[in-house]
Amino acid sequence: MNAETSPVLPPLSHRTVQVFGGTADAQGTARHDVLAAEVPVALVFNGISHAVMMATPQDIEAFALGFALSEGILDAAADCRGIEVNTVAAAEAGLPPGVDAIEVQLEISTRSFERLKGRRRSLAGRTGCGVCGVESFAGLELQSDPLPANDWAARVDLPTVLRAIDALPAWQRLNAEAGAIHAAGWSTLDGELVAVLEDVGRHNALDKLIGTLARMERLGEPGFVVLSSRGSHELVRKCTRVGIAALATISAPTAMGVHVAELAGLRLWGLCRAPRAVLYVAGSASA
């Protein structure tokens, strides 16, 4: 099932718009419309602000935990001692009127925090190169440790992938109302979805899913991720970093996404649109 929502700010926004063209008259036709909410979310680790992301205000605790895991801040969910989510009024946050924000306070282990501080010190001394928002080429972190070989990767085949992809829209409740919202789902080796998370950002949706799987203690189980997006290198890296060994995306992967998958041994499907899908990387299988 979908993860529980966080009662912070509404994930959808309602407003009246004017529709032009088609059967509308020249002055336009008023219509009630539903839009996806997108709010600033500050992630604070042991009192130190680390990142501000624009995200859909739903499943925020799962998002924060998943981000910490997929970005290598935490080695395991147990390194997070607690998560507190608070709404911050626009005026208090120094934001324009009507732009309320969310602050997430995470208490993490001493080992994780010391590593995070070391990473921040290292970044502070580098000369910016202007690539992808990081401060050095090394900051791209394109390579993950190779995934362990497994005996189940071949079961993530065409029928299984298409079964999971076909089931995805029924789980996308926010997208059905507002559009513009990505989804990340977890499927068993039978193609059955067991969790789907939504967000305006494809990276955020995946982090929410990773956080949810960590709470369910399902990270490391045989299975695969399905995404309503392309297979970019960041999404591949997030998967490999937490031990997810197979990924299927509705759109095509990027060349770098395929290369990162090859380096890590992740099984990568793309352009998954019935009756076809493309296997870009077979993944690591045991002998």
Side-chain angles (χ1 to χ4, degrees):
M1 61 181 180
N2 292 76
E4 295 182 2
T5 59
S6 301
V8 182
L9 293 171
L12 300 176
S13 175
H14 302 262
R15 66 172 57 226
T16 300
V17 298
Q18 292 292 115
V19 180
F20 292 87
T23 59
D25 57 35
Q27 288 73 40
T29 301
R31 186 185 76 185
H32 174 76
D33 206 6
V34 181
L35 303 175
E38 188 177 18
V39 305
V41 178
L43 302 177
V44 182
F45 295 89
N46 289 8
I48 295 181
S49 182
H50 176 69
V52 177
M53 313 289 288
M54 298 299 293
T56 300
Q58 179 171 283
D59 304 305
I60 294 298
E61 291 188 13
F63 168 54
L65 178 60
F67 176 90
L69 289 167
S70 72
E71 293 299 318
I73 296 170
L74 305 179
D75 293 322
D79 289 322
C80 181
R81 313 301 194 207
I83 302 176
E84 181 179 337
V85 180
N86 295 296
T87 302
V88 183
E92 183 182 350
L95 295 168
V99 185
D100 293 338
I102 295 172
E103 183 178 80
V104 189
Q105 296 276 353
L106 296 94
E107 291 297 324
I108 62 176
S109 67
T110 300
R111 180 185 70 254
S112 299
F113 187 53
E114 289 301 320
R115 183 171 57 203
L116 177 61
K117 288 194 297 182
R119 180 187 301 176
R120 291 168 62 89
R121 284 193 298 269
S122 176
L123 288 172
R126 295 173 179 167
T127 301
C129 67
V131 178
C132 295
V134 299
E135 299 196 18
S136 76
F137 291 127
L140 286 171
E141 298 181 342
L142 294 176
Q143 187 167 359
S144 301
D145 292 335
L147 291 162
N150 63 75
D151 58 1
W152 54 260
R155 292 178 58 186
V156 185
D157 56 12
L158 175 65
T160 302
V161 164
L162 292 183
R163 190 176 304 122
I165 291 287
D166 183 61
L168 191 60
W171 292 68
Q172 295 178 259
R173 296 165 186 166
L174 294 181
N175 192 62
E177 291 194 63
I181 299 178
H182 281 293
W186 179 251
S187 174
T188 67
L189 295 180
D190 296 322
E192 178 185 356
L193 293 177
V194 296
V196 175
L197 283 297
E198 294 183 272
D199 198 277
V200 289
R202 61 189 188 277
H203 308 87
N204 299 343
L206 179 55
D207 280 334
K208 288 178 178 181
L209 177 65
I210 289 170
T212 298
L213 292 175
R215 289 179 159 187
M216 296 168 65
E217 298 184 348
R218 299 193 73 150
L219 280 178
E221 286 187 2
F224 61 100
V225 167
V226 292
L227 293 176
S228 63
S229 68
R230 65 181 183 269
S232 59
H233 78 273
E234 313 99 305
L235 300 171
V236 171
R237 183 179 59 81
K238 281 179 179 289
C239 287
T240 60
R241 181 165 265 164
V242 297
I244 293 171
L247 170 64
T249 64
I250 289 177
S251 296
T254 65
M256 184 61 73
V258 172
H259 187 53
V260 173
E262 287 176 330
L263 291 173
L266 175 134
R267 187 171 179 86
L268 178 62
W269 287 90
L271 289 173
C272 300
R273 300 173 182 179
R276 298 179 179 84
V278 178
L279 181 62
Y280 288 91
V281 181
S284 299
S286 58

